[in-house]
Amino acid sequence: MTALSRREQNRLEKRQRALDAALTVFSENGYAAATMDAIAAAAGLTKPTLYQYFDSKEALFQAMMLVPRDTMLTVFDAPADTCHVTQLWRFSWAYAEVVMQPQFLALARLVIGDAQRSPDLGRAYQASGPDRVLDGLARFMADQATLGRLQIDDAELAAEDFWGLILSSPRNTALHVPNALPDRQTLERYVNNGQRVFLRAYSTKPAKDLAVLETLIAQN
Amino acid sequence: MTALSRREQNRLEKRQRALDAALTVFSENGYAAATMDAIAAAAGLTKPTLYQYFDSKEALFQAMMLVPRDTMLTVFDAPADTCHVTQLWRFSWAYAEVVMQPQFLALARLVIGDAQRSPDLGRAYQASGPDRVLDGLARFMADQATLGRLQIDDAELAAEDFWGLILSSPRNTALHVPNALPDRQTLERYVNNGQRVFLRAYSTKPAKDLAVLETLIAQN
Amino acid sequence: MTALSRREQNRLEKRQRALDAALTVFSENGYAAATMDAIAAAAGLTKPTLYQYFDSKEALFQAMMLVPRDTMLTVFDAPADTCHVTQLWRFSWAYAEVVMQPQFLALARLVIGDAQRSPDLGRAYQASGPDRVLDGLARFMADQATLGRLQIDDAELAAEDFWGLILSSPRNTALHVPNALPDRQTLERYVNNGQRVFLRAYSTKPAKDLAVLETLIAQN
Amino acid sequence: MTALSRREQNRLEKRQRALDAALTVFSENGYAAATMDAIAAAAGLTKPTLYQYFDSKEALFQAMMLVPRDTMLTVFDAPADTCHVTQLWRFSWAYAEVVMQPQFLALARLVIGDAQRSPDLGRAYQASGPDRVLDGLARFMADQATLGRLQIDDAELAAEDFWGLILSSPRNTALHVPNALPDRQTLERYVNNGQRVFLRAYSTKPAKDLAVLETLIAQN
DNA sequence: TATGAATGAGCATTCATTCAT
DNA sequence: CATGAATGAATGCTCATTCAT
C-alpha cells in the first residue's frame, strides 16, 4: 500500500514532532521570544533539519496554526434524530472538551497575542474556527425553530447566546490565568447552568425540556 | 501647594509619556518584539532616560499594565433607585464602551498573549478587572432577587450569564480580528439581544420588563 | 578500444557537467558565495555525487580553473611564411576572440578576485596564460627583428606593447563592467588602432606595412 | 572652530578605523568570505558599534569603495606650460605611483571580483576612476595635437594607447599575482619603454622628444 | 539629569560536508 | 554507485542594558 514508506514515514513523523514542539515552545514563550533552537531541541532535531521541514520561523508558526483548525470543526456532528435537548447537551460537552484543552487555550492565546502583528492569522483563525462552529450551531437553531421546539428570531444570535452562556466565562478566565483550568465540577457548573438559562429563554416547552436536561445531567 | 512642582511635574509628565508609548508599542508588537528603542523614540525620550524611570523592560511593562485597571471598575456605579431594567441597560453600555475601546482590547490581547510567560500578570488582571466587575454585578443580581424582580439561584452565575450574553461574542471577535471593531449598530444588536434573552430567562415579570427595555432601546 | 567505456564515459560526462556548472556558478557568485548545492543543481547532480568527483569545494574550484588554460595557448599558431603584418593581424583577432569571450572574462575576474586568497592560483594563471602567450609573441617579435622587418630592442617589451595597444583597454573595461561587452565595431576600433600604432613605432617600413594593414582591414 | 569636536572627532576616527579595517579584510578575503566580526576586530570595535556606523555589510563595502576614487583623480594636475614630454613623464609616474599601490590593487581586485555580483559598483568604479583619468589625458593629447607637437587622429585612442603602453602590463601581472609588486627598476623598464614607443608613434619630432625623454630618465 | 556611544549575548538562517539507505 | 536526510559551525544582524560625558 504505502510502498514509499520508511523514508516517507520517517519524514512525516519528524514533521509532526516539529509541529508538536512548536506548539509547546510558541505557547510557552510567545512568537518573538520562542527560539528555533528551543523548538529544534524540543523536537529532538537539529536546527538545520528543522529548517528542511519549514522554511522559516514564520512558516513553522503558520503550519502549526493550521493543524488544529479541523479538529474544532468535528465538534458539531450532531446525529439529527435525537431530541434537541440531548443534542445541545452533546454539543456543549463536545465543544467544552475541545475548547478547554490546554493546547487549544495555548493556541488561542497565541492568536490573540499576535493578532495585531499578524492580522491575517487572527482573521483566518476566526473564520475557520469560531465562525464555522457558530454557523453549524445556527443552522441547528434554525432547524429547531422550524420544528417548533425553540422560539427563535435570529438563529445566529441564538447560537452566539448559547455559546456565551455555556463557555465564555470559564474560557475567558482560562485565557487570562493559565495553569488554572477549571476542574470538571466547576466546568459542569458553567455548562449546565448555561443550558438551563438558554432553555428558559428559548424553549417552547421550558418545563419539559428542563426536566430532560436535569435527567441528562444526573445520568452523567 | 505643590511647590516642588516644575521638576516634579516634568518627571511625571515624562513618566506618563513613557507609559503611553509603552502601551502603543507593546500592543502593536507584543512584549518580546517591542524594543526599548522604539518605546523611547515613541515617548520622545532617550533610552537611558527611559531606564531612569523604569528599571527594565519588564518593569515598564508591569507598570503600564497597572494603569488602566481602575478605569474598568468605575463602570458599575449604579444609582440604586432606578428600575432594574434601566440599571442593567446603563451598565451594559457603560461596560461595552470601556471594554470595546481599541486600547482596552489591545491591553487584553497583551495580557492574554503573555499569560503563560507572566502568569502573575494574567492573574492580577483577572482579579482586578473582570472579577471585580462581576462581583459588583453579582451583588446587584442578588439585590434584585431579594427585591423579587429577578428569579435567581446563583447570583454569580447570573452575572456571568449577563456578561456572556451581551458582550462575549463581539469581544471575542474583536480580540481575534483587530482593526475590525463592530460599528455601533452591530454592537447594539448584540447588547440589546443579550438583555432581552437575560430578561426572558431571569425576570419575574418578563413581559413588562421587556417592554421597558424596548422603550429604552427606542429612546436611544 | 576504450572498452571499459559506458561506465567510464558516464563518469567523464558527469565530471564535465560538474566543471561546466562550477564555471557558471562560481563566475556568477564568486568563490565564497557559490554554494555546492547550487553547483550540484546546475550540474543535475546531487551533492554527495558531486563530492564523489571532487573532494571539496576548493578542489572543484582548482580543477575548474585548470580547464581553459590550454585553450588560450592555441592562439598563437602562426604559419611562419606569411607576411608579418598579416601574422600580427591574425594573432590580434585570434587573441581578441579568446580573451573577450564572456566565459574567459568571468574566469579572469575569478582569478583576480581570489588572487589574495589563493595566490598560487593567480600565479599559475599568469604563468600558464598571459606569460606563455607573451612568450610566443616575443619569439615572433625577435624573429621579425632578425628578418629586418621590425626594429626591436627588447622583444619581450615589444610583445607587451603590442598586447597593451590592441586589447588592454577594452579588456579592462570589460573586467569592470560585465554584461557590457564591446560590439564588433568597437573592438575593431581598438584592435586596428593598436596595430597601426605598433607599426608606426616598430616597423622598418611603416608606410608599406600600414598600407598592407589597411588592406587587411578593408577586406574583413 | 570645530567646537563640537571631541565626540565628533572620536566618531570620525572610529569611522575611519572601520573603513581601513574593511579594506584590509575585504581585500584579503573577498566580499563574501569577509566577516563583520573580522572587520570589527581589525578595527578594534565591537560588532554592534560597527553597525552603528554602517547599516550593513554591503553599506560598509560601498562606503569603503568610495574613499579612494577621488585620490585617483588628483593624478592629472598637469602644469600647462611645461614641455609635453615632461608633462607625460610626470603624469606617467604620478599615475604609476597611485595605480601600483598595494591598496589600490587590492581595491581593483575587489571591484573586478565582484563585478558580476554588483555591476553597479564596477560601472561606478570605471566611470569615476579610469574613465575620468583617460578623459583628462585625452584632453591633453588633443591640446598637444593642436599645438603641433603630437600627430593624433583620435585623442581618446591616443590616451588609451599611452596608458596601455606604460602600465597595462605590470598592472595586469600585479592583479594576478599579489605580493609580487614589481620593484622600482622593473617598473621603470615598463614606464620608460612605454613613453619611448608612444613618442616614436605619435611625436611630430620623435628624435628631439626622445632625447628629452632620455634626459628626464637619466636625471631621475 | 540626560545623552551619545558603547557592548555582551543571542537568534534566524545558511553551508560544506557526511551518513544511512 | 547515487540519494535523501542529516549536522556542526558560522555569519549577519539586533537588543537590553550600561558607561563616559
Side-chain angles (χ1 to χ4, degrees), chain D residues 58-72:
Chain D
E58 185 66 26
L60 172 54
F61 185 75
Q62 302 273 356
M64 176 200 77
M65 283 306 197
L66 285 174
V67 173
R69 292 229 192 104
D70 304 317
T71 313
M72 200 186 282

Side-chain angles (χ1 to χ4, degrees), chain B residues 92 95-96 99-100 163-172 187 191:
Chain B
S92 298
Y95 200 35
V99 144
M100 298 299 290
W163 142 258
L165 285 166
I166 60 172
L167 279 173
S168 73
S169 199
R171 181 169 178 266
N172 271 334
L187 197 55
V191 172

Side-chain angles (χ1 to χ4, degrees), chain A residues 155-176:
Chain A
E156 197 188 304
L157 280 177
E160 281 172 338
D161 288 342
F162 190 75
W163 142 257
L165 285 166
I166 61 172
L167 279 173
S168 73
S169 198
R171 180 167 179 267
N172 271 335
T173 305
L175 284 178
H176 294 142

Side-chain angles (χ1 to χ4, degrees), chain D residues 7 11 14 45-49 52-53:
Chain D
R7 270 251 236 286
R11 269 193 83 78
K14 283 192 185 161
L45 302 172
T46 62
K47 225 188 328 180
T49 302
Q52 212 146 19
Y53 289 87

Side-chain angles (χ1 to χ4, degrees), chain C residues 14-204:
Chain C
K14 282 189 184 167
R15 197 187 136 88
Q16 192 51 49
R17 283 214 319 259
L19 288 170
D20 291 347
L23 179 55
T24 307
V25 176
F26 276 127
S27 60
E28 266 170 18
N29 304 284
Y31 179 81
T35 78
M36 290 298 264
D37 270 305
I39 295 171
L45 301 173
T46 63
K47 232 186 325 179
T49 304
L50 181 57
Y51 270 90
Q52 208 133 23
Y53 290 88
F54 302 95
D55 281 347
S56 69
K57 191 185 182 181
E58 185 65 27
L60 172 55
F61 185 74
Q62 303 274 356
M64 175 202 77
M65 281 307 199
L66 285 174
V67 173
R69 294 231 190 101
D70 304 320
T71 314
M72 201 187 282
L73 298 178
T74 66
V75 153
F76 202 72
D77 294 339
D81 57 335
T82 21
C83 120
H84 60 291
V85 180
T86 308
Q87 278 186 280
L88 283 175
W89 189 84
R90 283 195 188 140
F91 166 79
S92 298
W93 283 106
Y95 201 34
E97 260 149 32
V98 169
V99 143
M100 298 298 289
Q101 268 177 52
Q103 273 205 348
F104 249 84
L105 290 167
L107 220 66
R109 277 187 217 106
L110 275 179
V111 172
I112 291 170
D114 276 328
Q116 203 110 21
R117 207 182 49 89
S118 8
D120 293 344
L121 185 68
R123 225 185 322 275
Y125 180 87
Q126 175 72 21
S128 67
D131 284 357
R132 281 220 248 170
V133 172
L134 280 182
D135 268 10
L137 191 52
R139 253 193 308 278
F140 171 82
M141 295 293 178
D143 291 349
Q144 299 305 315
T146 308
L147 294 171
R149 294 173 180 162
L150 299 177
Q151 195 169 4
I152 288 177
D153 264 2
D154 183 327
E156 197 189 301
L157 280 176
E160 281 171 341
D161 287 341
F162 190 73
W163 141 258
L165 284 167
I166 61 173
L167 279 173
S168 74
S169 199
R171 180 167 179 267
N172 271 335
T173 305
L175 284 179
H176 293 143
V177 187
N179 311 326
L181 278 184
D183 55 23
R184 179 75 189 183
Q185 202 180 349
T186 310
L187 198 54
E188 281 175 355
R189 182 164 165 257
Y190 288 110
V191 173
N192 293 337
N193 168 74
Q195 292 178 80
R196 283 188 199 103
V197 174
F198 182 84
L199 289 176
R200 283 217 298 272
Y202 278 106
S203 174
T204 49

